[in-house]
Amino acid sequence: MADVKIALKIVSDLKNFISICLTDPLLLNLFRNSKTHFTRDRKLNFERLVLLIAKMCKRTLSVELEGFFGELGKKISCSVSAFSQQRSKLSPLFFLVWNRVLCESFLRHAPGDTRRWMGYRLIAVDGSNLALVNTPSLQAHFGGQSNQNSSFVQAKTFYHYDVLNDLVTHSCIAPYRTSELTLASHWIEELPVDSIAIYDRYYSTFKMFALHSWQESERKFVIRAKDSLKFVKKFLKTGKVSQVIELAPTQASISGLRQSGFATDSSTRIRIRLVRVELQSTTEVIATNLWQEEGFENDMFGDLYFRRWGVETNISKLKNTMQMESFSGLTVESVEQDFYATVMMSNLHSILIRDAQVRLDRDTSTKKYPQKVNGNKSFGKLKENLIAIFFKNREREILRELTAYFLKDTLPIRKGRSFPRQLKTSNKKCKHRTYTNYKPA
């Protein structure tokens, strides 16, 4: 039950953060759009509002509000208009910071249970697009794409995902035309010093190599290099498995690094290591600053880079299991609130199912396949109990009941399966959408 105790401490820290916000006006000012907001005792005060948004309203709002106040034991409710007015007072920054409180709480309370690879946390980095409703305000802020027949409003999202601990350590939402490379280079400082960042080939640029290496505390990286790069072609011709090379910047890299505050010219050089990884149907080249003399052998990199896939499955979880693209509002602020709240809830879900998954991993029964917690059912059960966890003083009992539920109806893990990749348009990758005239009851 060690992880239940850890979960209790993390939930307590999340509750305490809300309490601190309510007693510290300077902190509360960071999360409200005016000093006069959240000063009256309304039906939807600060504490209730953030929990209602975190509960992720996917049904029609009037039904969600009735259910929310019913869970609180209140016979009264509030109107959809009142909810919209209250949420307009709340900065989306609250949920971003609340998620950071959760991640730091996990590291503080479970230092021995934090999973690592060779002493490092593995952070997979990737971005994705979110489909939004085509309204003038969302179009003006996020942009999108169009053709002669129609137009689409989309946002760019970006994630640092701890693949071994199933936690999004950093996330952001930005206008659609924002480059993922721009976001990646901007947020390198957010990478934990004791981590290895793993990227796909889109990020294989001199600037990315340099920004990791030139931080005040160097950040370790593993980046799949593009096959079209000259130094990759040259390396493959050598037939070597591993080689350390010095790389010169392109003019674009020089310009980009100067914009980031690094004085660079054509004489600048950086050292990187190239490692050949042979797969069934192709050969990949990994660029890294993990050196062989530090104990990072050539045969480690195939499995290490494969772990990057965790961020892809987590994005699928956010979009499909958690219905990220089904928003509860049509303003920029409500979209950002829902985005950051969904990321936080995804992390809370990962922590609460952790104890059940540990037990399943240790199960030595005669089942044909190893088992895992059913992500969809477990998240649905968490949503049902979220208000009770935060508003009723029986967290330990509720978490034990949840763990017992998570151990039921588990799913088999069939290892070694692979399927041909199906390319889809960005508007067909998610099962759930926001509609202006429809929500399920």
Side-chain angles (χ1 to χ4, degrees):
M1 299 297 291
D3 280 337
V4 170
K5 294 179 181 178
I6 291 169
L8 275 170
K9 294 176 180 178
I10 293 171
V11 168
S12 177
D13 285 346
L14 292 174
K15 294 170 69 174
N16 288 339
F17 183 71
I18 296 177
S19 299
I20 293 170
C21 289
L22 295 174
T23 56
D24 185 346
L26 292 178
L27 180 60
L28 185 58
N29 286 343
L30 295 175
F31 308 131
R32 58 184 176 182
N33 295 325
S34 170
K35 292 182 180 180
T36 61
H37 292 161
F38 303 115
T39 56
R40 297 181 182 180
D41 186 18
R42 297 182 181 272
K43 295 178 185 177
L44 266 182
N45 56 26
F46 181 84
E47 182 180 22
R48 291 175 183 173
L49 178 65
V50 298
L51 263 298
L52 176 57
I53 294 174
K55 197 171 184 293
M56 299 166 54
C57 303
K58 304 302 179 185
R59 299 178 297 169
T60 187
L61 282 176
S62 58
V63 173
E64 292 281 10
L65 288 166
E66 288 175 7
F68 176 75
F69 281 96
E71 290 181 68
L72 292 175
K74 306 291 184 182
K75 295 182 180 180
I76 58 172
S77 183
C78 74
S79 67
V80 173
S81 176
F83 168 61
S84 299
Q85 291 177 54
Q86 281 296 93
R87 78 180 307 176
S88 69
K89 303 172 184 178
L90 179 67
S91 168
L93 178 64
F94 172 81
F95 296 101
L96 179 66
V97 175
W98 209 23
N99 183 60
R100 182 162 296 187
V101 170
L102 183 150
C103 292
E104 291 177 354
S105 178
F106 171 75
L107 292 175
R108 182 169 64 255
H109 295 306
D113 293 330
T114 304
R115 297 163 188 152
R116 296 175 180 268
W117 182 89
M118 297 282 287
Y120 289 89
R121 296 166 64 191
L122 299 184
I123 307 295
V125 182
D126 206 0
S128 183
N129 297 330
L130 281 187
L132 306 177
V133 176
N134 192 347
T135 67
S137 61
L138 295 180
Q139 172 70 50
H141 183 82
F142 290 107
Q145 53 185 325
S146 61
N147 55 34
Q148 64 272 26
N149 298 316
S150 60
S151 61
F152 305 94
V153 179
Q154 293 185 311
K156 185 77 68 180
T157 59
F158 187 76
Y159 309 92
H160 288 174
Y161 176 67
D162 186 332
V163 297
L164 298 181
N165 296 291
D166 195 18
L167 292 174
V168 177
T169 60
H170 178 76
S171 62
C172 72
I173 183 169
Y176 172 72
R177 294 296 175 183
T178 308
S179 164
E180 288 183 24
L181 269 173
T182 300
L183 294 172
S185 59
H186 181 74
W187 295 114
I188 286 174
E189 290 183 356
E190 287 293 325
L191 291 168
V193 175
D194 60 342
S195 70
I196 299 172
I198 310 175
Y199 302 82
D200 66 18
R201 54 190 165 189
Y202 178 74
Y203 300 89
S204 58
T205 67
F206 182 95
K207 181 180 178 180
M208 287 293 289
F209 302 151
L211 286 177
H212 285 78
S213 302
W214 294 348
Q215 294 294 315
E216 184 175 347
S217 296
E218 180 189 43
R219 302 304 200 273
K220 297 294 187 180
F221 65 84
V222 168
I223 304 177
R224 180 182 174 184
K226 291 180 181 178
D227 299 337
S228 59
L229 295 172
K230 290 182 180 180
F231 67 85
V232 172
K233 293 179 179 179
K234 184 177 179 181
F235 167 68
L236 289 173
K237 287 180 180 179
T238 67
K240 295 180 179 179
V241 178
S242 177
Q243 183 181 23
V244 176
I245 65 170
E246 284 195 344
L247 202 58
T250 62
Q251 195 58 47
S253 296
I254 292 172
S255 176
L257 285 166
R258 286 177 178 173
Q259 291 176 7
S260 299
F262 291 90
T264 312
D265 57 34
S266 58
S267 64
T268 303
R269 297 290 184 273
I270 57 171
R271 290 175 69 245
I272 62 169
R273 178 186 178 189
L274 301 179
V275 181
R276 180 194 300 259
V277 175
E278 298 287 354
L279 302 179
Q280 277 188 334
S281 57
T282 187
T283 298
E284 295 178 350
V285 175
I286 303 299
T288 183
N289 58 352
L290 299 174
W291 312 111
Q292 194 161 13
E293 53 267 29
E294 295 175 345
F296 299 100
E297 301 298 335
N298 298 331
D299 58 5
M300 295 179 175
F301 285 89
D303 175 69
L304 178 56
Y305 179 73
F306 178 76
R307 292 175 185 266
R308 191 202 70 84
W309 192 250
V311 71
E312 304 280 1
T313 56
N314 187 68
I315 290 172
S316 176
K317 171 188 174 182
L318 291 170
K319 288 187 174 183
N320 296 308
T321 301
M322 308 189 71
Q323 303 180 34
M324 178 180 272
E325 290 185 324
S326 178
F327 295 97
S328 61
L330 300 176
T331 65
V332 173
E333 292 75 15
S334 61
V335 166
E336 293 178 342
Q337 288 169 1
D338 285 354
F339 170 75
Y340 290 116
T342 302
V343 171
M344 192 282 297
M345 284 295 294
S346 173
N347 283 347
L348 181 61
H349 172 254
S350 296
I351 287 170
L352 296 189
I353 67 171
R354 192 179 175 97
D355 182 50
Q357 188 59 55
V358 168
R359 295 193 199 184
L360 292 174
D361 293 341
R362 293 173 179 169
D363 186 5
T364 56
S365 66
T366 56
K367 289 185 177 180
K368 183 176 181 180
Y369 298 106
Q371 301 291 303
K372 67 178 180 180
V373 173
N374 186 317
N376 195 37
K377 290 186 66 176
S378 59
F379 180 67
K381 199 67 173 178
L382 169 58
K383 284 188 65 177
E384 288 180 12
N385 289 271
L386 182 69
I387 305 307
I389 291 172
F390 279 86
F391 281 104
K392 297 181 180 179
N393 296 319
R394 56 186 193 92
E395 299 95 327
R396 185 183 298 273
E397 178 186 348
I398 294 171
L399 292 180
R400 285 178 174 171
E401 291 173 356
L402 285 175
T403 299
Y405 179 85
F406 298 156
L407 290 168
K408 299 177 182 177
D409 298 325
T410 55
L411 298 175
I413 303 173
R414 297 181 175 90
K415 297 183 179 180
R417 297 194 305 170
S418 62
F419 302 93
R421 185 172 184 179
Q422 295 182 355
L423 298 179
K424 302 178 182 179
T425 64
S426 58
N427 279 332
K428 293 182 180 179
K429 291 182 180 179
C430 180
K431 301 179 179 124
H432 307 280
R433 285 287 183 271
T434 307
Y435 300 97
T436 56
N437 60 348
Y438 170 76
K439 285 282 185 183

